Amino acid sequence: MRPLTVVRLALAGGRTDQIRTALTALGAALATLTLLAAATVFAVTGQHAAGYTNDLLVEEGLRPGVAFGILLLSVPVLAYVAQCGRLGAPDRERRLAAMRMAGATPRQVVRIAAAETTLASVAGTLAGLGAYFLGRVLLDAPGPDGRRPLPTDVLPHPVAFVLVAAGVPFFVTALTTLALRRVTLTPLGVVRRVRTGRPGPIPGVLVLTGLGLCALVEPAHRYFTHRPRTDDLPTLVMGALIVTGVLAVSVGVVWGTGWISHTAGRLLHRFAQRPATLLAGRRLMADPWSGSRTFSAMMVALIAGAAAAGLSALTVATERADEENLRRYSQLLGEPYVPAGTEFYERAYELVGYAVIGATAIAAMGLLVAFADGVTARRRTLASLVACGTPRTVLSKALGWQILTPVVPTVLLAVAVGILLPRLAVPGANDTQPLEALRCTPLPGDPASACQDAAYAQAHSSLHTAERVQAVVEVPWGQLGLLAGGAVTATVVITLVSLVFLRMSTRAWELRVQ
C-alpha cells in the first residue's frame, strides 16, 4: 500500500474522527509547550540567572527542580492524549474492519490507524512550536532594571528542539498502537479482549510498600549522618527510596481505583433498591477497571497537589522554627537579629499550586472525553433500554451513580496518601537538637576568631540548657479541602455535561448502529 493511499484512508473518517483528530492535535500541542518550557529552564545558565526576578530561576540549585516539576505536567497531558485516542473507537474499528473486508492486511490496518494519529500529532507539534515562539514575544516583559519574570531571552539547545519535535508524534503514535493491542480486526468485525475478574489486593500492597519506603528515608538519613561518607551514596540511596516510594504509591492509588469501583458496585448491587443504582452497581462490577483508566491523571494530580501542600506546610513551619532558634541564639549573645522571612518558600509553593491546578484542568478535559466516549460507545444499548420503556432520567441517574460513587473515596485516598508523603520522606523534620548546635565553630587556624571571645564563652553556659524550638507542622486542611472539593466538583460538572451526550445517544435511530 502506497504512503499516499495510507494518508487518504487515514483522513477518510466521519465527524467523530475529525473531533478525535482535533483533540489529539490539541494534546500534542500542550505536550510540546510543556516539554519546551522545561527545556528552556534547563537552558538557563549562571550568566543569565541574574537577569530574572523569580528566585526559582536565579538559584542554581532550584532550577532543576523547577524543570522537573514542569516535566511532571506532561503526565496528565499524555493521559489526556490517550483518552482522546479512545474517542469514537467503535466507529473507527468498524471502519477498519470494513477495510479488512476489502482486502487490507492486519499490518496495513494498524498502519492506517497510526497514520491518522501521526498526522494529528505532527500538526499539534507544529502548532505548539508556533505558540512557543509567539509566547516568547508576547511574554517578554523586561522591567526598568532589565530583569525578566520569565526566561524569554533563552532558547533550548537545538537538540532539545529536535527531540521534542520528533518525540511527541512518536510517543502519541505509540499510545494509539498500544491502545489497539487488545483489538483484533477481522473481515467480519471487531474482537476486543476485555479484562475481567475481580481486582486483587495488589494496589493496597503497593500503597503500603511505597509509604514504607518513604518512611525509611529518615533512618537512612540518620545512619549516614552518624557515618559520613565522601561519595554520593547517601544521596543516591535516599533519592532511590523517595522516587520508588512515590512511584509505588501513585501506581497503587491509580490501580486501586479498580478495587474501589468493584467494591462500590457490590455495595450498590446489594443494598440499593432503585433501578438507577442497580444499573450503576452492575456496570461498576462488570468493568471496574474503567475507573483506573479514566481517573488516572486526576489521581496523580491530586497526589502531587496534596504532597505539595504538605511539603509547603512542613517547609514554612521548619523555617519559622529555625528563625525563632536563631533569634534566641542571637539574644543570648546580645547581637541584633534580622529575620529572613518565609515569603520565598510560600511563593515557590504557590507556583506549584498553580501548576497542580493546570494539571487538574487538563485531567478534567480527559475525563470529559472519556465520559463522552463511554456514552457514545454504548449508544445502541442505551437506545434499546429507552425503546423498551426505560426513562432517560433513570439512565441519567445511573450514569451519575456510576461516575461519582468511586470518585469520592478515591479522591480522599489520593489526598490522604499525598499529605503523608512529605511527612515520611523529608528527613530531619522532627530533630530535637539542643540550641547549642547552632553555635558557631572556630575557623581553622584562627584560634582568636569571634567564637572564642568572652561574650560567646559566657553565652555557651546557657546554651546547654536551652532546647531548640520544634517545628509544629499543621495539616493544611484548607488546601486539602480545595483540592478534594475541586476534584469532586469538576467531576460533577463533567458528569452533567456528559448527560447531553446521553440524551443524543438514546434517540430511536441509534438502534440502527451496528
Side-chain angles (χ1 to χ4, degrees):
M1 187 177 294
R2 292 180 299 179
L4 184 59
T5 304
V6 173
V7 173
R8 290 179 58 187
L9 292 175
L11 298 177
R15 183 177 59 182
T16 305
D17 298 295
Q18 295 174 359
I19 295 174
R20 180 177 61 250
T21 301
L23 293 177
T24 303
L26 175 61
L30 292 175
T32 302
L33 285 173
T34 303
L35 296 176
L36 288 179
T40 303
V41 176
F42 275 120
V44 176
T45 58
Q47 60 182 356
H48 299 96
Y52 304 124
T53 58
N54 195 330
D55 293 334
L56 295 176
L57 298 175
V58 174
E59 296 292 337
E60 183 178 359
L62 297 178
R63 286 196 297 269
V66 174
F68 182 72
I70 296 175
L71 284 176
L72 290 180
L73 289 177
S74 62
V75 175
V77 173
L78 294 176
Y80 164 74
V81 173
Q83 295 289 359
C84 292
R86 297 175 58 88
L87 182 63
D91 289 338
R92 179 180 60 181
E93 290 163 2
R94 281 190 289 269
R95 181 165 58 90
L96 296 178
M99 295 180 187
R100 288 279 288 121
M101 178 70 76
T105 63
R107 181 175 298 181
Q108 289 173 338
V109 168
V110 174
R111 191 181 305 168
I112 292 170
E116 174 191 336
T117 306
T118 302
L119 293 174
S121 58
V122 168
T125 301
L126 294 177
L129 289 171
Y132 172 77
F133 286 107
L134 180 62
R136 280 174 52 85
V137 177
L138 297 179
L139 299 178
D140 188 24
D145 56 352
R147 302 173 67 190
R148 293 174 169 83
L150 296 174
T152 52
D153 59 333
V154 178
L155 278 174
H157 196 275
V159 176
F161 277 107
V162 174
L163 291 177
V164 171
V168 171
F170 173 79
F171 195 84
V172 173
T173 304
L175 286 178
T176 301
T177 306
L178 188 64
L180 290 174
R181 74 191 188 279
R182 293 182 177 273
V183 177
T184 303
L185 296 170
T186 66
L188 299 179
V190 179
V191 179
R192 180 180 293 275
R193 299 184 297 275
V194 180
R195 185 179 184 183
T196 58
R198 178 180 178 181
I202 298 179
V205 174
L206 284 175
V207 172
L208 295 178
T209 301
L211 294 176
L213 290 175
C214 292
L216 292 177
V217 174
E218 178 67 25
H221 174 70
R222 293 182 179 179
Y223 176 83
F224 288 116
T225 300
H226 293 91
R227 297 172 178 82
R229 300 174 62 96
T230 58
D231 53 12
D232 296 332
L233 182 62
T235 303
L236 293 176
V237 170
M238 289 188 289
L241 288 175
I242 293 175
V243 172
T244 307
V246 172
L247 183 61
V249 165
S250 302
V251 174
V253 171
V254 172
W255 197 353
T257 308
W259 182 86
I260 293 176
S261 299
H262 188 272
T263 304
R266 290 186 60 190
L267 292 176
L268 287 177
H269 184 261
R270 181 174 181 179
F271 297 104
Q273 299 180 356
R274 295 286 184 176
T277 49
L278 289 174
L279 286 173
R282 293 298 296 176
R283 181 63 187 171
L284 289 172
M285 293 175 63
D287 188 14
W289 303 105
S290 62
S292 299
R293 297 188 300 266
T294 305
F295 300 108
S296 57
M298 179 171 285
M299 294 304 108
V300 173
L302 286 176
I303 293 174
L311 189 59
S312 174
L314 179 61
T315 303
V316 171
T318 303
E319 289 297 321
R320 288 176 178 173
D322 289 342
E323 286 191 357
E324 177 63 21
N325 290 321
L326 291 174
R327 188 193 64 79
R328 292 187 179 187
Y329 182 70
S330 300
Q331 184 179 8
L332 289 173
L333 299 178
E335 295 181 346
Y337 172 68
V338 179
T342 59
E343 291 80 7
F344 169 75
Y345 301 98
E346 294 176 353
R347 181 183 179 187
Y349 287 110
E350 183 180 356
L351 295 177
V352 174
Y354 292 148
V356 171
I357 292 175
T360 306
I362 296 172
M365 293 170 56
L367 283 180
L368 179 58
V369 174
F371 293 161
D373 178 63
V375 172
T376 55
R378 305 194 311 272
R379 60 183 182 271
R380 188 179 185 186
T381 302
L382 297 174
S384 300
L385 289 174
V386 173
C388 293
T390 305
R392 286 191 176 90
T393 54
V394 173
L395 297 181
S396 300
K397 293 178 181 179
L399 180 63
W401 279 102
Q402 177 187 341
I403 294 174
L404 297 178
T405 302
V407 161
V408 176
T410 305
V411 166
L412 294 178
L413 174 63
V415 171
V417 169
I419 197 65
L420 283 176
L421 286 177
R423 298 293 185 100
L424 299 175
V426 178
N430 299 316
D431 287 346
T432 57
Q433 301 175 1
L435 192 60
E436 186 183 9
L438 293 175
R439 65 182 180 182
C440 63
T441 305
L443 299 176
D446 186 11
S449 61
C451 294
Q452 301 297 318
D453 59 18
Y456 280 89
Q458 182 179 1
H460 286 167
S461 60
S462 302
L463 296 178
H464 289 284
T465 57
E467 294 292 332
R468 295 185 63 177
V469 175
Q470 294 182 347
V472 180
V473 185
E474 299 180 356
V475 179
W477 295 111
Q479 299 182 40
L480 297 181
L482 287 176
L483 278 173
V488 174
T489 302
T491 307
V492 171
V493 172
I494 292 171
T495 303
L496 295 176
V497 174
S498 63
L499 295 181
V500 177
F501 296 93
L502 176 65
R503 186 171 185 83
M504 294 170 55
S505 301
T506 53
R507 295 169 181 170
W509 55 76
E510 296 294 343
L511 294 172
R512 297 177 297 176
V513 178
Q514 299 298 324

